[in-house]
């Protein structure tokens, strides 16, 4: 499903590295097509981002969310 019970966007997980400040950045597939927008990374508790673990919202989820607004 695209939405949680309260109409909030759900998130997907990507195996890609990111750095602080990349939230809102594009997630692209191997062909360079937009797949979603980064919303978070997972830190290790020391200020470093865990490699290959990023959270994003897909373009399909964004379209569906905006369609209802």
């Amino acid at each position: 499903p695209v939405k949680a019970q309260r109409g909030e966007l759900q998130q997907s997980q990507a195996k890609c590295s990111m750095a602080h400040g990349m939230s809102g950045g594009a997630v692209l597939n191997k062909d360079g097509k937009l797949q979603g927008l980064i919303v978070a990374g997972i830190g290790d508790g020391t200020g470093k981002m865990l490699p290959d673990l990023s959270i994003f919202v897909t373009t399909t989820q964004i379209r569906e969310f905006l369609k209802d607004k």
Side-chain angles (χ1 to χ4, degrees):
V2 172
K3 295 181 187 173
Q5 290 181 347
R6 288 184 237 151
E8 298 172 2
L9 290 174
Q10 293 185 353
Q11 301 165 345
S12 298
Q13 180 179 330
K15 190 173 182 179
C16 62
S17 296
M18 65 175 280
H20 289 285
M22 291 181 69
S23 293
V27 175
L28 306 175
N29 67 12
K30 64 180 180 171
D31 299 320
K33 293 185 180 180
L34 182 66
Q35 300 299 298
L37 298 176
I38 296 171
V39 294
I42 307 299
D44 67 359
T46 68
K48 293 183 181 179
M49 302 302 289
L50 292 174
D52 300 332
L53 185 58
S54 300
I55 308 298
F56 73 101
V57 178
T58 67
T59 52
T60 301
Q61 292 167 320
I62 294 167
R63 271 191 231 100
E64 288 295 317
F65 180 80
L66 292 175
K67 183 171 72 174
D68 293 341
K69 297 296 172 197

